[in-house]
Amino acid sequence: MSDPEAGGPDPSWRRFSAPVEAGLAILCVLIALGHVYVAFDPVISEFARNAYHFAGFAFLAAVLKPAVAPLGPSRFWRIVDFLFGLATAAAAVHLVRAEDAIYARGVKLELYDWLAIAICVYAAIELTRRLTGVIIPILIVLSLSYVLVWGKWIGGVFSFPGLSLETVAFRSVYGDDAMFGAIARISSTYVFLFILFGAFLIRSGAGDFVINLARAVAGKMTGGPGIVAVIASGLTGTISGSAIANTASTGVITIPLMKRAGFAPKFAGGVEAAASTGGQLMPPIMGAGAFVMASFTQIPYEHIVAVAALPALLYFLSVALFIRVEARRLNLPPLPSDGQTLGSAFRQGGASFVLPIGLLIGMLVAGFTPTYAAVFGIVAVVASSWLTKSPMGPKAVWEALVQGTRGMVMTAVLLCSVGLVVNVITTAGIGNTFSLMIADWAGGNIIVAIILIGLASLVLGMGLPVTAAYIVLATLSAPALAGMISDRFVIDAIANGTLSEAAKPILMLANPEAMMQLASGMTRAEAAELVHSLPLEIAAPLRDMVVPPEVALAGLLSAHMIIFWLSQDSNVTPPVALAAFTAAAIAKAPAMGTGFASWKLAKGLYIVPVLFAYTPLLSGNWGEMIQVAAFSVFGLYGLVGLLQGGLERPIGWPLRIVAGALGLLCLWPLPILWHAAGAAGIVALTVWSRRFGPRPPSAAPGHAAT
């Protein structure tokens, strides 16, 4: 059994005898084929598909993951878990069959309905505890008890009058955002099919091709082994979409390679963790987050992955710049060639990676749904594997179906279960209240809001997987952040004197002196102060009237993308740093030291989201987006020089500060002449460091600097 978050064998999964394992494998294949069939021919309702999806994966989770690890091998506990899984699956199936009867009775539950709902909710709590720890179960219990009991006991903005037990039970299962609602729909369609697609790619040998290709492209560059890790992790991200899985799979090759080249163990581990974190940012899969984002925003998935490409490349480039600067600072020579070339890499296994990925992207661009694209991509993997040295026969296809289903267990249970929390947030209006609090605390300052969301994501990341953290954060804070981004358009309209006559009376409702101020003209600072002082009941209709729909949609996408990026920080930020700790184990380096190294190397994770808020990197035409990205490269290089202490050669603190200032000049939303001046300054500083900077002593490969 492979742990989908770790990418390798997990000893906590229960093992069985060969006949039982064969039976579980058959069930996995049937679950996979059932999902593929329904993707093409939706013979059942969406609710039924989502409930059956939970039924199958809840059964697998109950059987494969022991309730108490030391008791796992016990025959008694195996039987208990088997019966628990069977009861959960039967309860989910009953809720599908009882749906029409419940509505016919006027949403009145009978004994078996109560029992089935209780079993499914308990299973969500217990199975997420087994698979992800105690945080999600605690959130579920707090959420349900809030709308049932204690919401009425608290005062202030979070007071809630409460709902009846029957209403809460019904909405927990049949609500649009409930266990078998919108998020479960994402899990049962896009996410599972893309995880299957990734399993087929891995089984076809595409992972080996990725490593070979990266070594052929970057092996001889300055800092080549580190850049190999960046390229390999970026491409592997299109397969797995998991930072920890990326680290475990590519790190066993790239980390020893970096250490032999002369990089310090903790730096090598940090590089792999930071690069692997970018795997979840890399189109076309982007983990499960891209599908959730498409559902939340109603923005087409293909548009999200298209505009996400440039930012992802910026992130990987920022990590590569750190590697190059460190290699130049240590004067590390390139590694000797291992004979791998682009041609040999493609001949050995390129077809099984390039053709399916190309078909997938082509179908998305052509307007096919991600579901169809994923299924055809799976077929393309099998077909193209016959052009390589590892053709996939019936046995390989069977193994890929089994591995893909098993790799989906945690994600499926998690996404269905977290619907219980999201359902309460939307039912009780907590998201809007929390958004108002963020807007109030930030005082209209987007940077402050991003910092607050970043801190919240780090806290949530201590106990939640990345996808769950994004779902919770997006539900709570995306409306506030999107509104603040859109308010910039309102502020500009007021400051430029282009505010429509129809919108001016709305301002007067909140501030009678506003008309006089508008008549005499306002600076942008005055306009910003006016807009930020407006209460929500005034600000919201004003925003709806003034901001064009396309600008509002761009603000919404920017807000969700900011939250999605910040949700990744638990992979690289101490004290959590899950991917970094995985890399530290491979590198045999201190865990916290590797964590801090990865945190520094992943600075693009915090810088690029600011560009989402203040520049057209996501919402402009391609010319504008490329312009922002181009100057951002110079800006990131300048900040790398500040943080890493070198450009082409080491530089002292005065020049490090200059490099950082020039980098900020390239990144901050200023007229293009300022960006050009910053870029020119960074080029000049780079040339100076190359010609006049101190040359460090040579470091022999294999002796890692500390």
Side-chain angles (χ1 to χ4, degrees):
M1 177 68 194
S2 292
D3 177 10
E5 284 298 302
D10 182 352
S12 69
W13 290 101
R14 182 182 277 138
R15 300 299 194 271
F16 294 95
S17 62
V20 176
E21 285 285 349
L24 290 173
I26 293 172
L27 176 61
C28 288
V29 171
L30 291 175
I31 290 173
L33 293 178
H35 280 75
V36 171
Y37 179 80
V38 173
F40 273 93
D41 186 10
V43 293
I44 55 178
S45 69
E46 182 177 296
F47 176 82
R49 181 193 63 217
N50 298 342
Y52 294 152
H53 173 76
F54 177 76
F57 284 105
F59 175 81
L60 288 175
V63 171
L64 293 170
K65 190 73 172 179
V68 184
L71 301 178
S74 165
R75 179 179 178 84
F76 171 78
W77 285 104
R78 288 174 185 246
I79 295 173
V80 168
D81 282 337
F82 176 83
L83 293 176
F84 172 47
L86 203 61
T88 302
V93 172
H94 169 81
L95 291 172
V96 175
R97 297 181 177 276
E99 181 182 16
D100 292 338
I102 291 174
Y103 281 111
R105 292 193 299 268
V107 192
K108 296 296 181 182
L109 303 179
E110 293 187 342
L111 176 62
Y112 287 115
D113 307 327
W114 281 105
L115 187 60
I117 292 174
I119 291 173
C120 285
V121 172
Y122 174 74
I125 295 170
E126 167 60 14
L127 294 177
T128 51
R129 182 197 67 79
R130 298 186 190 187
L131 295 166
T132 67
V134 299
I135 300 299
I136 294 176
I138 290 173
L139 287 176
I140 293 173
V141 172
L142 287 175
S143 298
L144 295 177
S145 60
Y146 168 75
V147 292
L148 276 171
V149 181
W150 60 271
K152 62 173 74 75
W153 297 344
I154 60 176
V157 294
F158 288 111
S159 179
F160 185 73
L163 299 172
S164 69
L165 180 60
E166 187 171 41
T167 300
V168 173
F170 174 80
R171 290 187 179 184
S172 294
V173 172
Y174 293 103
D176 291 338
D177 298 303
M179 278 189 70
F180 307 144
I183 299 176
R185 174 180 59 81
I186 297 166
S187 178
S188 65
T189 53
Y190 308 137
V191 176
F192 184 32
L193 291 174
F194 273 91
I195 283 182
L196 274 179
F197 175 68
F200 272 81
L201 279 174
I202 292 171
R203 184 60 184 81
S204 72
D208 295 333
F209 162 73
V210 164
I211 297 293
N212 292 336
L213 177 67
R215 296 182 73 163
V217 170
K220 295 183 180 180
M221 294 181 181
T222 300
I227 298 175
V228 166
V230 172
I231 296 174
S233 295
L235 294 176
T236 303
T238 66
I239 300 174
S240 71
S242 167
I244 303 171
N246 277 10
T247 302
S249 59
T250 61
V252 293
I253 298 174
T254 60
I255 290 175
L257 203 62
M258 285 186 274
K259 289 173 65 178
R260 288 200 301 272
F263 289 108
K266 65 181 180 182
F267 184 86
V271 166
E272 180 56 45
S276 294
T277 296
Q280 294 225 98
L281 309 173
M282 189 69 182
I285 296 178
M286 298 171 63
F291 308 113
V292 179
M293 193 184 304
S295 177
F296 278 0
T297 63
Q298 296 302 301
I299 296 172
Y301 166 83
E302 55 270 22
H303 177 75
I304 291 174
V305 297
V307 299
L310 271 179
L313 291 175
L314 276 178
Y315 175 82
F316 285 112
L317 183 61
S318 70
V319 180
L321 290 173
F322 270 107
I323 296 165
R324 177 178 173 82
V325 167
E326 181 69 0
R328 298 291 296 182
R329 191 177 70 83
L330 299 176
N331 199 23
L332 300 180
L335 285 179
S337 173
D338 61 356
Q340 189 68 255
T341 65
L342 282 175
S344 63
F346 274 97
R347 284 193 298 273
Q348 291 171 16
S352 63
F353 181 87
V354 175
L355 294 180
I357 293 291
L359 176 67
L360 182 74
I361 295 173
M363 291 187 69
L364 291 174
V365 171
F368 288 92
T369 66
T371 303
Y372 268 66
V375 173
F376 278 103
I378 291 170
V379 175
V381 173
V382 178
S384 60
S385 71
W386 285 84
L387 302 175
T388 71
K389 295 181 179 180
S390 304
M392 293 185 68
K395 180 182 178 183
V397 171
W398 179 276
E399 291 172 351
L401 290 170
V402 172
Q403 199 61 31
T405 303
R406 287 194 165 193
M408 181 67 186
V409 170
M410 189 200 75
T411 302
V413 172
L414 169 66
L415 290 180
C416 292
S417 301
V418 82
L420 290 168
V421 178
V422 174
N423 183 56
V424 169
I425 291 173
T426 55
T427 298
I430 297 173
N432 291 334
T433 304
F434 193 81
S435 286
L436 287 173
M437 292 174 61
I438 288 181
D440 183 51
W441 293 339
N445 190 307
I446 297 175
I447 292 291
V448 175
I450 290 174
I451 292 172
L452 291 173
I453 293 170
L455 292 173
S457 74
L458 182 59
V459 173
L460 284 175
M462 293 180 183
L464 294 181
V466 166
T467 303
Y470 163 65
I471 291 171
V472 174
L473 270 176
T475 306
L476 292 174
S477 58
L481 188 56
M484 293 168 67
I485 294 172
S486 296
D487 278 345
R488 289 167 42 224
F489 189 92
V490 180
I491 293 168
D492 289 338
I494 294 174
N496 298 334
T498 58
L499 189 68
S500 66
E501 292 299 322
K504 292 178 180 179
I506 298 179
L507 278 177
M508 290 185 63
L509 292 175
N511 189 343
E513 299 178 359
M515 192 63 76
M516 295 178 57
Q517 292 177 290
L518 289 172
S520 60
M522 301 177 68
T523 65
R524 196 179 191 284
E526 292 171 336
E529 184 179 358
L530 174 63
V531 171
H532 296 156
S533 68
L534 297 175
L536 179 64
E537 60 268 20
I538 300 297
L542 178 66
R543 190 183 299 141
D544 293 340
M545 181 175 290
V546 175
V547 179
E550 64 274 12
V551 175
L553 196 64
L556 182 64
L557 176 59
S558 297
H560 275 268
M561 197 69 79
I562 288 168
I563 295 167
F564 179 62
W565 274 58
L566 293 178
S567 297
Q568 314 298 321
D569 65 352
S570 61
N571 287 312
V572 291
T573 307
V576 188
L578 301 177
F581 294 163
T582 303
I586 299 172
K588 296 180 174 60
M592 291 307 284
T594 305
F596 280 107
S598 68
W599 180 64
K600 182 171 73 170
L601 289 160
K603 278 295 172 286
L605 201 62
Y606 311 98
I607 295 170
V608 176
V610 178
L611 299 179
F612 296 156
Y614 286 99
T615 72
L617 183 59
L618 290 177
S619 56
N621 58 49
W622 280 104
E624 293 171 331
M625 293 162 67
I626 291 172
Q627 176 182 307
V628 172
F631 283 117
S632 297
V633 172
F634 290 98
L636 290 168
Y637 189 40
L639 293 181
V640 168
L642 167 66
L643 295 171
Q644 202 65 15
L647 293 171
E648 284 299 287
R649 292 201 186 155
I651 55 177
W653 271 107
L655 289 182
R656 291 173 71 169
I657 293 172
V658 171
L662 291 171
L664 289 175
L665 198 62
C666 294
L667 291 166
W668 202 250
L670 294 168
I672 190 172
L673 290 178
W674 287 98
H675 291 160
I682 289 172
V683 170
L685 193 58
T686 302
V687 172
W688 185 94
S689 74
R690 187 177 182 88
R691 293 190 62 182
F692 303 109
R695 179 182 292 274
S698 297
H703 299 282
T706 58

